[in-house]
Amino acid sequence: MTDMLTSPHSSTIAPERRIVTAIPGPKSEELHARRMHAVSAGVSAAFPIYIDHAHDAIVVDVDGNQFIDFTGGIGVTTVGHTNDALVDAVRDQVGKLTHSLFAVAGYEPYVRVCELLAQHTPGDHHKKSMLVNSGAEAVENAVKIARKYTGRTEVAVLHHGYHGRTNLTASMNYNMHPYGTGFGPLAGSVHHAPNSHPFHDGLSGAEAAKRTITHLEKRVGASQIACLVVEPIQGEGGFIIPADGYLNALADWCKENGIVYVSDEVQSGMVRSGAYFASEHFGIIPDLVTSAKGIGGGMPIAAVTGRAEIMDAVHPGGLGGTFGGNPVAAAGVVAVFEDVERRGLINEAKRIEATLMPLLKNLQAQHPVIADVRGKGAMIAIELIDPATGEPAADAVKAIQHYALHQGVLFLSAGTFGNVLRFLPSVVMSDELLTDAMGVLADALESL
Ligand SMILES: *Cc1c(COP(=O)(O)O)cnc(C)c1O
């Protein structure tokens, strides 16, 4: 109780960056020593700081340093850290019903989340959902459902994709390291096909789709494939936006061949891209959609949503898990959906793009190391390439992250070659903070 009274309420944080100690500060250093003793070395850390509290777009570390957060917990806190509506809903729910296991005895928040997902995922056909705990679990379940529905075994994925850290999803990732190295045998029946990456391959959507489809038809056979799992905007791969018509051609091919088209929107979904789900930008209506990160606003929850006839192909008891769709996390999702509607947060994601894009294009004009600026909504990235050699400039990304950290800005890297700097701000980040942080980025680029 004393603690609650003396600790600062997160919503009173001044919306500004503020560095008051060396980075890392003494308390972070102390925590780090404890971590090194107690936490597995297999769990890495991008930054040497430890967070005490956070609100909207600002995180405060244990030493009182304030950072403008462009990581959003990797695209999770889209509606802002400690979003007021979310915190209220979670507080209410945790004292009402913390757990019952939906498969034992149900509760309303689970059902409400499934209704909201049906309403806001692309397409107006009859949709159903099932809830789990993590993005990887959602992808695993989408594959299970597609296999049961089609009676087929094979799974198709794209180069530069990322789908999680379980055995099956590690097999579906493009990068073997660090996700799969030494963990084999990984799952079989997973087939990797070339993607569309207009900045690098120069192919039109139709040309890239032909390359993908030919690969899968020759190497696997369309009649063997249960599902094609695609991120509409590849996240970890470096915010890759496919060429116009690419995804549409793949979706058409899936339809013609009885393949379930799964849109993995764990990162791109839930308002992040300036639409509820990024598939909308491309006019795609997926058979199944996976969502996680942003839907719970920080609560651990994930979902598979899709055509009722596909979702119902599974026998009772074939899907589930102890914590899936936990009432507290589900209440969080409901609060996030309501807050998005109440505060028009899709427009805020568009505002982020409108503010960031010109600032980044301006930096690109001054710094040839910025080879590409791309993204949608609050999902924007710059790709850094050494202008002298044409090689991916991962070291420049690291140097920028290091510089910005010491100035009170947290930037995240991405990309198969680690040479993409990605911006995943909360959509409630103000234009003032965006502009201030881009000033820090400009200084970081000067310092290279
Ligand atoms: C993060 C991510 C996952 C995995 O989600 P977890 O919650 O970390 O298991 C799956 N797919 C995509 C596209 C992701 O970005």
Side-chain angles (χ1 to χ4, degrees):
M1 202 63 200
T2 333
D3 247 24
M4 253 180 73
L5 292 173
T6 54
S7 71
H9 192 284
S10 291
S11 61
T12 61
I13 301 169
E16 62 191 19
R17 63 192 165 95
R18 190 189 288 162
I19 298 298
V20 296
T21 70
I23 301 294
K27 289 183 179 160
S28 279
E29 297 232 62
E30 200 184 308
L31 264 171
H32 196 66
R34 284 169 56 194
R35 176 212 187 108
M36 294 311 277
H37 190 69
V39 179
S40 162
V43 184
S44 60
F47 300 110
I49 54 168
Y50 289 76
I51 305 302
D52 185 69
H53 57 287
H55 191 65
D56 282 352
I58 301 285
V59 297
V60 185
D61 77 4
V62 286
D63 294 289
N65 297 297
Q66 296 194 182
F67 302 86
I68 306 176
D69 183 14
F70 278 81
T71 75
I74 313 201
V76 168
T77 53
T78 312
V79 296
H81 285 282
T82 57
N83 172 289
D84 293 328
L86 171 85
V87 170
D88 285 347
V90 164
R91 281 207 174 112
D92 271 3
Q93 184 60 48
V94 77
K96 223 167 129 186
L97 175 72
T98 312
H99 178 77
S100 80
L101 209 175
F102 193 72
V104 172
Y107 40 86
E108 202 260 354
Y110 190 117
V111 178
R112 185 70 193 130
V113 169
C114 296
E115 288 170 350
L116 287 163
L117 286 165
Q119 187 184 337
H120 293 292
T121 48
D124 50 17
H125 49 283
H126 184 194
K127 287 172 236 161
K128 293 191 175 185
S129 294
M130 58 90 57
L131 305 181
V132 285
N133 307 294
S134 71
E137 239 191 301
V139 174
E140 289 250 357
N141 278 280
V143 171
K144 276 168 68 170
I145 294 164
R147 281 177 166 157
K148 186 75 205 265
Y149 174 71
T150 58
R152 302 174 184 178
T153 53
E154 304 306 288
V155 176
V157 292
L158 297 179
H159 289 175
H160 304 285
Y162 177 79
H163 302 288
R165 289 172 180 274
T166 57
N167 185 274
L168 173 62
T169 55
S171 321
M172 295 166 69
N173 295 341
Y174 180 69
N175 267 8
M176 185 53 72
H177 191 74
Y179 311 114
T181 341
F183 299 147
L186 295 183
S189 291
V190 175
H191 305 274
H192 296 253
N195 67 337
S196 163
H197 194 344
F199 175 67
H200 282 284
D201 62 28
L203 299 179
S204 71
E207 290 162 346
K210 186 164 180 239
R211 183 173 68 168
T212 306
I213 290 166
T214 304
H215 179 95
L216 291 172
E217 286 187 340
K218 295 300 166 194
R219 293 287 305 133
V220 194
S223 66
Q224 307 302 301
I225 301 174
C227 56
L228 171 67
V229 183
V230 177
E231 295 163 84
I233 300 174
Q234 292 181 313
E236 303 301 303
F239 288 19
I240 303 167
I241 300 184
D244 283 347
Y246 175 74
L247 294 176
N248 311 74
L250 293 189
D252 290 346
W253 175 74
C254 284
K255 196 168 187 171
E256 285 156 21
N257 291 282
I259 298 165
V260 175
Y261 182 102
V262 182
S263 192
D264 182 354
E265 298 236 22
V266 167
Q267 191 158 160
S268 61
M270 202 58 200
V271 176
R272 175 55 59 191
S273 73
Y276 263 112
F277 289 88
S279 293
E280 292 169 44
H281 295 296
F282 308 98
I284 298 286
I285 298 181
D287 296 316
L288 299 180
V289 176
T290 55
S291 56
K293 295 190 166 95
I295 62 170
M299 299 304 291
I301 188 163
V304 185
T305 303
R307 295 187 186 283
E309 67 272 22
I310 301 178
M311 295 298 295
D312 281 345
V314 180
H315 46 280
L319 303 175
T322 305
F323 294 119
N326 167 273
V328 181
V333 180
V334 175
V336 168
F337 269 109
E338 286 173 359
D339 208 44
V340 165
E341 291 294 316
R342 193 182 312 118
R343 296 162 74 198
L345 295 185
I346 290 181
N347 285 330
E348 294 303 302
K350 292 178 182 155
R351 172 187 58 81
I352 302 275
E353 177 180 343
T355 303
L356 269 190
M357 272 296 186
L359 293 171
L360 290 169
K361 291 250 159 84
N362 185 36
L363 287 175
Q364 183 184 24
Q366 296 165 44
H367 299 280
V369 71
I370 303 179
D372 194 26
V373 180
R374 57 181 180 249
K376 285 191 190 292
M379 190 173 185
I380 309 275
I382 55 177
E383 177 160 349
L384 276 67
I385 290 181
D386 183 336
T389 62
E391 290 296 314
D395 288 350
V397 168
K398 282 207 186 74
I400 292 170
Q401 282 183 289
H402 181 81
Y403 183 99
L405 170 72
H406 288 259
Q407 300 298 317
V409 183
L410 303 181
F411 288 138
L412 210 58
S413 64
T416 297
F417 303 100
N419 67 322
V420 175
L421 196 67
R422 63 175 146 170
F423 310 104
L424 285 165
S426 159
V427 301
V428 304
M429 188 182 287
S430 67
D431 281 348
E432 288 72 25
L433 286 181
L434 288 168
T435 308
D436 180 34
M438 290 306 107
V440 171
L441 176 61
D443 294 344
L445 285 159
E446 285 299 337
S447 78
L448 286 180

